[in-house]
Amino acid sequence: MAIQNPSVSQTRSFSTVFLIEMWERFGFYGMQVLMVTYMMKKLGFVDTKANLVWGAAAALIYVTPAIGGWVGDKLVGTRRTMRIGAMVLMLGYALLWIPTDNANFLYFALGVIIVGNGLFKPNAGNLVRKIYEGDDSKIDSAFTIYYMAVNVGSMISMTLTPWIRDYVGQHYSDEWGWHTAFGVCAIGLLLGLANYALMSRTLKHIGSPADHEPVNLKRLAGVLGAAVALVFVSAFILHSETVARICVYAAGVVLLCIFGYLISSSHRDERAGLIAALVLVVQTIFFFIFYQQMSTSLNLFAQKNVNLSFDVFGIHLFNWIPEQFQNLNAIWIVLLSPVLVFIYNGLGRIGKDISIAAKFAWGFAAVAAGFFVYGVGAHWAVNGQVSSWIMVWGYGLYSLGELLVSGLGLAMIARYVPERMGGFMMGAYFVASGISQYLGSVVANYAHIPEGLTDPVQSLDIYTNLFNKLGMVGVGCTVIALAVLPLMKKLSTSHAGVAAQHEPLPAVRSEEFDTP
């Protein structure tokens, strides 16, 4: 709910949320870029265990915002919950700053980060929506800029934290190198919270009804108690691969059963939209399996089989640290988003809009091409190492696919599901995304490097075998997406005819990705 307050401009209110979001993403991606290699190099995990632990953490990171959004809207207040989430995240990164290599301590710290993300992420995005509530002409531009905050923060931190780890490690000790890099993530959140404290008055008139009431201490205590319990539950799940696997697969079965029940029990007029949403949710799950390769198999590939030198016509430009290649995703998204917006707007002006289902098909084709680039690049490898430019173009195609598929996921839910199911379906979408993050780590383990294998020529074969298979799966997804286009067109037409007679579900955008 936004209360009119002419003394504070929308731009100033938006800037407050923009800046804390930028610092929050700085901390999160600065941690993520190092986590898998930290577990392997400092905790002694094999690649399969490191991948699965991070996959389980990523799954929980995607699921908890569904709870955090409800807490902000109904219990504590959107502003308050966002601030609490930022403080919890800062605590999680500060725990990683402590120089200990105890795996249980890591699970606990990741549990704190999972809870903090769940409280922060949905409420920051909701504040942006509330700032521009009823002003459709500005909300698209606002979210485009907000999305840039995500990528500006992540680009800086994914470049900075690997460098800090190496610099401190070389001049002091390897242990302090890792933990100082994680500590920088905590400092980023501290700066974000300090800035928010100075600018918070610009948001006094923005928030959910609970924000405009005195703090209910019983509710707050209940939320904090549940948050502490969830930290320990998350740590327990991360500690046991068996428990994590059971939770993920059970969630998948429950989700499919609920979807089936909703479709079978829904009114005939609603069924077409729900079936269309289910088809696109399944396709999105497959995309996130590809997406999870960035922090797992592609990251480890860069460690072993990529020439870190960037050269043009034999002239050396600079070197990158292996983890920094993950930064290419954010760079390409920033470069490609304006191009896609221009194309979408141009097609819209001449009445040739591309359907969401067609964008999904193009997106899978781009992802498939990206993985084939890594496989093809292996043919020109020198001593088992591919050119760094292979990573640039592979990530470029992969990022294009991300914008076409992942960036449209929540928009798809908003378009196709009945309003009375909107809240549940948004949560279901995030749960499905979390499940696929874990499945992506399972897939990454097909490129397991046996202990003691150090020959890059052999590891190159193992990684490129996985990438070529992922490319083939991407081709299969493209073919399926093209095959269901006539069905999706029919379902969309049927749904549109019914939807025209009812109030549509308000458009919802993803905070992670631009959804033109």
Side-chain angles (χ1 to χ4, degrees):
M1 181 174 72
I3 300 172
Q4 292 302 317
N5 187 345
S7 64
V8 180
S9 69
Q10 288 176 321
T11 302
R12 292 182 66 191
S13 299
F14 172 77
S15 297
T16 303
V17 184
F18 172 95
L19 288 170
I20 194 168
E21 171 69 21
M22 184 183 73
W23 283 113
E24 187 276 327
R25 291 289 88 181
F26 173 94
F28 180 80
Y29 281 104
M31 175 274 299
Q32 176 186 282
V33 78
L34 297 175
M35 186 51 64
V36 170
T37 45
Y38 170 72
M39 286 188 279
M40 292 176 62
K41 293 183 177 180
K42 291 304 295 176
L43 303 186
F45 289 10
V46 295
D47 54 3
T48 51
K49 183 175 181 179
N51 286 338
L52 288 177
V53 169
W54 176 244
L60 292 169
I61 283 167
Y62 265 77
V63 170
T64 49
I67 304 171
W70 177 77
V71 169
D73 279 342
K74 305 296 183 184
L75 299 181
V76 179
T78 306
R79 292 197 312 268
R80 294 181 188 130
T81 307
M82 181 188 74
R83 184 184 293 195
I84 292 170
M87 290 189 288
V88 173
L89 278 167
M90 183 181 70
L91 174 61
Y93 301 137
L95 290 173
L96 292 175
W97 200 347
I98 298 172
T100 175
D101 295 334
N102 184 292
N104 289 324
F105 190 82
L106 171 68
Y107 300 145
F108 180 79
L110 285 174
V112 174
I113 291 167
I114 287 163
V115 171
N117 180 80
L119 293 171
F120 179 91
K121 198 64 191 162
N123 291 291
N126 281 337
L127 282 177
V128 175
R129 293 188 185 100
K130 293 174 188 298
I131 290 169
Y132 293 98
E133 197 169 38
D135 193 347
D136 293 340
S137 63
K138 291 184 179 179
I139 197 165
D140 277 4
S141 297
F143 265 97
T144 299
I145 298 170
Y146 183 68
Y147 144 84
M148 293 294 286
V150 172
N151 286 283
V152 168
S154 66
M155 279 193 297
I156 294 171
S157 64
M158 286 195 288
T159 302
L160 186 63
T161 56
W163 179 83
I164 289 173
R165 178 205 59 195
D166 284 4
Y167 182 84
V168 174
Q170 289 168 6
H171 289 79
Y172 299 94
S173 73
D174 183 58
E175 184 175 34
W176 274 111
W178 287 100
H179 294 289
T180 302
F182 289 132
V184 168
C185 301
I187 292 171
L189 259 295
L190 180 63
L191 291 172
L193 280 164
N195 184 79
Y196 181 82
L198 294 172
M199 300 178 68
S200 60
R201 64 182 183 82
T202 64
L203 292 174
K204 291 290 186 186
H205 61 299
I206 303 293
S208 61
D211 279 303
H212 304 293
E213 299 171 358
V215 177
N216 186 316
L217 295 179
K218 286 186 178 179
R219 284 184 183 177
L220 180 60
V223 167
L224 293 177
V228 171
L230 188 55
V231 168
F232 284 98
V233 169
S234 299
F236 176 70
I237 291 172
L238 297 178
H239 182 268
S240 171
E241 290 181 23
T242 302
V243 172
R245 191 180 303 114
I246 290 171
C247 289
V248 168
Y249 294 156
V253 171
V254 170
L255 199 60
L256 281 175
C257 290
I258 293 175
F259 241 120
Y261 171 76
L262 288 176
I263 292 172
S264 63
S265 63
S266 63
H267 191 275
R268 184 176 60 186
D269 292 342
E270 299 172 336
R271 202 161 295 159
L274 285 171
I275 294 173
L278 176 59
V279 171
L280 294 174
V281 163
V282 171
Q283 291 179 340
T284 303
I285 287 175
F286 274 96
F287 170 77
F288 273 104
I289 291 173
F290 296 126
Y291 180 82
Q292 185 67 355
Q293 305 312 307
M294 181 174 70
S295 56
T296 53
S297 62
L298 281 171
N299 176 28
L300 298 179
F301 176 63
Q303 302 277 337
K304 297 177 175 69
N305 293 108
V306 176
N307 183 339
L308 305 179
S309 175
F310 279 88
D311 304 314
V312 175
F313 301 120
I315 301 173
H316 175 69
L317 301 178
F318 55 87
N319 279 17
W320 255 10
I321 299 167
E323 289 92 345
Q324 290 177 327
F325 282 96
Q326 295 174 62
N327 202 8
L328 290 169
N329 179 235
I331 293 170
W332 273 114
I333 286 177
V334 170
L335 294 174
L336 292 172
S337 290
V339 177
L340 285 182
V341 170
F342 176 79
I343 292 172
Y344 293 158
N345 290 343
L347 291 173
R349 280 193 295 269
I350 60 176
K352 297 197 176 192
D353 288 317
I354 305 173
S355 69
I356 290 182
K359 288 173 184 172
F360 271 45
W362 280 106
F364 280 122
V367 169
F371 279 107
F372 281 135
V373 164
Y374 304 127
V376 171
H379 293 294
W380 289 280
V382 178
N383 297 323
Q385 291 193 320
V386 302
S387 166
S388 54
W389 293 104
I390 293 294
M391 298 294 283
V392 171
W393 299 116
Y395 264 97
L397 289 163
Y398 164 97
S399 302
L400 174 61
E402 177 180 332
L403 285 168
L404 289 166
V405 179
S406 176
L408 298 169
L410 290 179
M412 167 269 295
I413 293 291
R415 179 176 300 184
Y416 287 118
V417 305
E419 183 173 3
R420 62 187 175 83
M421 300 179 190
F424 166 78
M425 292 299 292
M426 292 296 174
Y429 172 81
F430 281 114
V431 171
S433 302
I435 291 169
S436 58
Q437 294 277 345
Y438 184 81
L439 294 177
S441 292
V442 173
V443 169
N445 283 346
Y446 282 102
H448 167 57
I449 304 298
E451 190 174 355
L453 191 155
T454 57
D455 183 359
V457 174
Q458 291 179 276
S459 61
L460 179 66
D461 286 338
I462 294 172
Y463 284 119
T464 53
N465 182 49
L466 171 65
F467 299 148
N468 285 330
K469 286 179 178 176
L470 286 170
M472 292 304 299
V473 173
V475 170
C477 290
T478 305
V479 171
I480 293 170
L482 290 172
V484 300
L485 276 179
L487 171 64
M488 294 301 295
K489 184 176 181 181
K490 182 179 178 181
L491 291 171
S492 295
T493 302
S494 174
H495 168 72
V498 174
Q501 304 168 26
H502 304 283
E503 282 293 316
L505 185 68
V508 178
R509 303 168 61 102
S510 164
E511 290 85 35
E512 286 291 332
F513 311 109
D514 189 28
T515 54

